[in-house]
Amino acid sequence: MKRVHRALVTVTTALAVIGVPAVASAASKDADRGGLQKRLDDVVAAGAVGALAEVRDEHGVWRGASGVAELGKPRPAPVGGRFRIGSITKTFVATVVLQLVDEGRLRLDDTVDRWLPGAVPDGHRITLRQLLNHTSGLYDYVRTLPMPPGPEFLNNRWRTWSPAELVQRAVANPPVFEPPGSAFAYSNTAYLLLGQIVEEVTGQSYGEEIKRRVITPLRLRDTSVPGTSSRIAGPHPHGYVPTGQDSERSLLDYTEMNPSVLGAGGEMISTTSDLNRFFAALLGGRLLPDHLLKEMMTPGVEGGRYGLGLAWWRDTSCGVRVYGNDGDALAYQSWSYLTEDRRHQVTIVLTPDFDGDPDDAVDAFLNKALCG
């Protein structure tokens, strides 16, 4: 899933939360290197229970944390903790799809009907390229699901969803534009289809292919594709969602949930270190040949900021273009970016408290990390 936070903030500004002091820690000797720790603390103060970050640049590696791992308890947020990465999953899926293109097993101009006949209306007109860059026009299934703080949301917490079931919820709605390829509209539905296509081509789940092609070769030891497993193994910050109405609103620990509802669009778990290693390898040409990496970095529409599973943040305060992705898994929000020259890199994750909007503070942290 991607960027659902602002809508939730709108309906939860009066949310009451347990007050806890910010607790900061860093793995490097210089805990506040150039003000990074202060800006991470600002993120928590703006609207987070906890936040983790890793920055890589000419000075080395800086890791920091702020806030707490769990509401009402003094344990600091774990610097190297694991978290749900949301839509950053899409970059992993796109990498696998493009590797299959490189092997001649897929073509970017293949249609959905070529691999999943009848899965979506007009599947003969929608290509893999359009699925990858969100120009398919397919309705986003996430819009059909109940969201917090509504009580219906919690009824699905442990439910196992199949990709086909979620796709059917999406296509019960008309396309958001016509014809395919003519505009941009973010659609998690597209990546559910890509996950199914990977399985059709390889005979293995997209999760197994991500593990074989990306996780194992890059030694991403804290990265996983959980499937229907509800737990986050190892050290991790707890994530929360708002629940209840009006004066009864509170935060519910939503760390454990069935991630099949996120699927190939957002189910993965990782760490700041592993995500930095992944994007450095991807943008460094270790996972894709140059011509496909260039395709990945080409926007789907003129003036757009999203290519084939890869996004670029707005130009930074220092005028440097950065590539990567961001993710929203409701209880976890993350950003991972690398400068075009690969000299500066940052990943940050927060667990929102839904009592504020930390976006501006996150932008300030990203600018500080990427521009110095």
Side-chain angles (χ1 to χ4, degrees):
M1 292 186 187
K2 189 180 183 79
R3 312 308 297 135
V4 224
H5 173 56
R6 290 188 185 276
L8 290 178
V9 167
T10 302
V11 298
T12 58
T13 51
L15 182 64
V17 298
I18 301 172
V20 292
V23 180
S25 63
S28 65
K29 292 181 180 179
D30 180 6
D32 193 27
R33 198 176 90 186
L36 285 170
Q37 185 63 53
K38 179 185 182 304
R39 282 170 172 76
L40 195 61
D41 293 341
D42 289 345
V43 170
V44 171
V49 176
L52 319 173
E54 181 185 272
V55 175
R56 300 184 180 195
D57 57 24
E58 65 271 19
H59 303 295
V61 178
W62 179 90
R63 298 184 183 96
S66 185
V68 294
E70 190 173 357
L71 276 175
K73 298 184 179 180
R75 181 167 57 91
V79 174
R82 300 175 186 178
F83 52 90
R84 301 190 191 281
I85 68 174
S87 285
I88 299 176
T89 300
K90 293 179 173 68
T91 312
F92 285 82
V93 173
T95 299
V96 169
V97 170
L98 290 172
Q99 287 182 348
L100 291 169
V101 170
D102 185 48
E103 294 165 10
R105 302 170 73 179
L106 284 174
R107 295 180 307 122
L108 287 173
D109 292 330
D110 281 351
T111 65
V112 174
D113 272 359
R114 165 73 175 80
W115 296 102
L116 302 173
V120 296
D122 291 332
H124 64 287
R125 297 199 299 159
I126 300 172
T127 66
L128 301 194
R129 183 190 300 276
Q130 292 161 355
L131 295 180
L132 287 162
N133 64 22
H134 299 290
T135 62
S136 69
L138 289 169
Y139 194 87
D140 191 344
Y141 78 88
V142 172
R143 297 184 180 185
T144 74
L145 299 173
M147 286 289 166
E152 303 87 355
F153 170 77
L154 296 178
N155 295 337
N156 292 324
R157 180 173 186 172
W158 310 113
R159 177 175 174 173
T160 294
W161 297 85
S162 71
E165 184 179 11
L166 293 170
V167 169
Q168 284 304 304
R169 292 179 69 96
V171 300
N173 298 273
V176 295
F177 60 78
E178 290 275 11
S182 62
F184 174 91
Y186 197 89
S187 176
N188 288 281
T189 309
Y191 275 76
L192 297 184
L193 293 166
L194 288 166
Q196 291 177 284
I197 289 169
V198 168
E199 185 167 353
E200 284 293 317
V201 174
T202 66
Q204 301 290 330
S205 70
Y206 68 87
E208 285 298 319
E209 289 298 311
I210 288 173
K211 181 178 179 181
R212 183 173 73 86
R213 294 168 176 269
V214 181
I215 293 174
T216 298
L218 296 183
R219 299 181 180 179
L220 307 181
R221 295 186 176 91
D222 296 316
T223 300
S224 61
V225 187
T228 60
S229 176
S230 63
R231 296 181 61 253
I232 300 178
H236 58 273
H238 286 235
Y240 300 85
V241 295
T243 186
Q245 300 294 327
D246 301 325
S247 62
E248 299 298 319
R249 286 177 179 165
S250 62
L251 288 180
L252 173 73
D253 191 327
Y254 206 69
T255 308
E256 295 189 4
M257 48 85 72
N258 188 325
S260 62
V261 68
L262 307 174
E267 72 165 284
M268 289 181 66
I269 292 168
S270 192
T271 63
T272 57
S273 292
D274 274 8
L275 289 181
N276 277 344
R277 189 177 300 117
F278 165 66
F279 279 107
L282 177 62
L283 275 295
R286 291 179 56 192
L287 296 173
L288 294 172
D290 288 348
H291 72 283
L292 287 175
L293 186 56
K294 184 177 179 180
E295 290 268 17
M296 200 177 208
M297 299 168 71
T298 301
V301 295
E302 186 175 354
R305 296 181 182 270
Y306 201 101
L308 306 183
L310 189 69
W312 36 103
W313 189 43
R314 62 170 177 77
D315 289 341
T316 57
S317 60
C318 53
V320 175
R321 175 65 58 84
V322 295
Y323 293 93
N325 213 338
D326 66 78
D328 192 326
L330 292 178
Y332 299 88
Q333 295 165 15
S334 51
W335 297 256
S336 190
Y337 291 105
L338 178 68
T339 57
E340 199 163 13
D341 63 7
R342 306 197 305 281
R343 296 179 61 184
H344 294 81
Q345 186 170 18
V346 58
T347 295
I348 177 174
V349 60
L350 62 87
T351 50
D353 66 13
F354 299 101
D355 197 32
D357 187 349
D359 283 356
D360 288 344
V362 169
D363 282 358
F365 182 88
L366 291 171
N367 270 305
K368 181 63 181 176
L370 295 165
C371 297

